[in-house]
Amino acid sequence: MYMVYWTVIEETDSRPYAQAFGTDEMVKAMGFMEDLRRRQREGEGVRFITMCSEHPDLVGHPGVDVTGADYNWKKRRR
């Protein structure tokens, strides 16, 4: 799934917003963001436009949580 986040700033007030999109709606989400950026270019107080995603069928926690006993991480591989 995709989430688009943005903030509307009006004088001394700012409000955060979010809009959800399905896993198969990335193009729709990007079009929505472009509409927000158009509004921003036209002078509206739309700021901090960003998108993030999370796969609904993810197995396990994000990041490296299981590496095995033989895993030997090194900052530099030489």
Side-chain angles (χ1 to χ4, degrees), residues 24-76:
D24 60 344
E25 296 182 307
M26 184 171 109
V27 173
K28 186 176 178 182
M30 293 180 78
F32 184 78
M33 289 178 64
E34 184 53 38
D35 287 342
L36 290 171
R37 294 198 186 282
R38 178 189 46 77
R39 289 171 50 192
Q40 185 182 45
R41 286 189 300 271
E42 291 173 353
E44 286 189 48
V46 180
R47 300 287 185 268
F48 307 106
I49 303 163
T50 190
M51 179 174 77
C52 65
S53 65
E54 181 174 281
H55 197 287
D57 298 323
L58 184 67
V59 177
H61 298 288
V64 180
D65 60 349
V66 179
T67 58
D70 62 341
Y71 182 76
N72 186 12
W73 181 85
K74 291 184 170 85
K75 187 171 183 177
R76 296 181 186 206

